[in-house]
Amino acid sequence: MEKLGLVLKTKREELSQTYKGYSVRAVAKKVNISASYLSRIESGEYTAPSNKILTDLMCVLKLEYVVKIRFGEYIKGHRIKLKLTQKAFVNSTVR
């Protein structure tokens, strides 16, 4: 399984090749965390950012909701909530 930090870093670097404002510092500022904290998430040193930080990173990096569900195990204390959210999401798309 891919590591969360690697997915985030790869996407951030991909966006930075096309758009301005996707350096570690710029993204960290948009998410209201330190550049050091984002670097540690990307390197895999920190593997469980809060649900809010992960959600904000996903939004800034234009990552799909499905990716968030895929890496749900990285979100401490939110695993059950994410599974329920995923089930509700799947049920709403089936209709």
Side-chain angles (χ1 to χ4, degrees), residues 65 68-69 78-92:
Y65 181 78
K68 181 178 175 186
I69 297 300
H78 296 280
R79 230 176 151 173
I80 294 171
K81 182 178 176 184
L82 283 172
K83 285 182 181 179
L84 292 173
T85 304
Q86 180 183 23
K87 186 175 180 179
F89 177 76
V90 170
N91 288 339
S92 69

Side-chain angles (χ1 to χ4, degrees), residues 8 27-28 31 33 37-38 41 49 52-63:
L8 296 173
V27 170
V31 179
I33 59 175
Y37 186 72
L38 178 55
I41 292 171
K52 180 177 178 0
I53 290 172
L54 182 56
T55 300
D56 291 350
L57 283 169
M58 300 293 233
C59 182
V60 168
L61 297 176
K62 302 174 182 173
L63 286 165

Side-chain angles (χ1 to χ4, degrees), residues 4-61:
L4 174 65
L6 180 60
V7 170
L8 296 173
K9 182 177 182 176
T10 301
K11 183 64 175 179
R12 183 186 56 73
E13 288 176 343
E14 178 186 302
L15 289 168
S16 71
Q17 291 178 0
T18 308
Y19 307 102
K20 291 184 178 184
Y22 286 95
S23 66
V24 171
R25 287 183 185 194
V27 170
K29 186 175 181 177
K30 291 175 186 177
V31 179
N32 201 28
I33 59 175
S34 70
S36 171
Y37 186 72
L38 178 55
S39 291
R40 289 176 174 167
I41 292 171
E42 288 185 350
S43 72
E45 185 177 343
Y46 293 156
T47 58
S50 72
N51 191 32
K52 180 177 178 0
I53 290 172
L54 182 56
T55 300
D56 291 350
L57 283 169
M58 300 293 233
C59 182
V60 168
L61 297 176

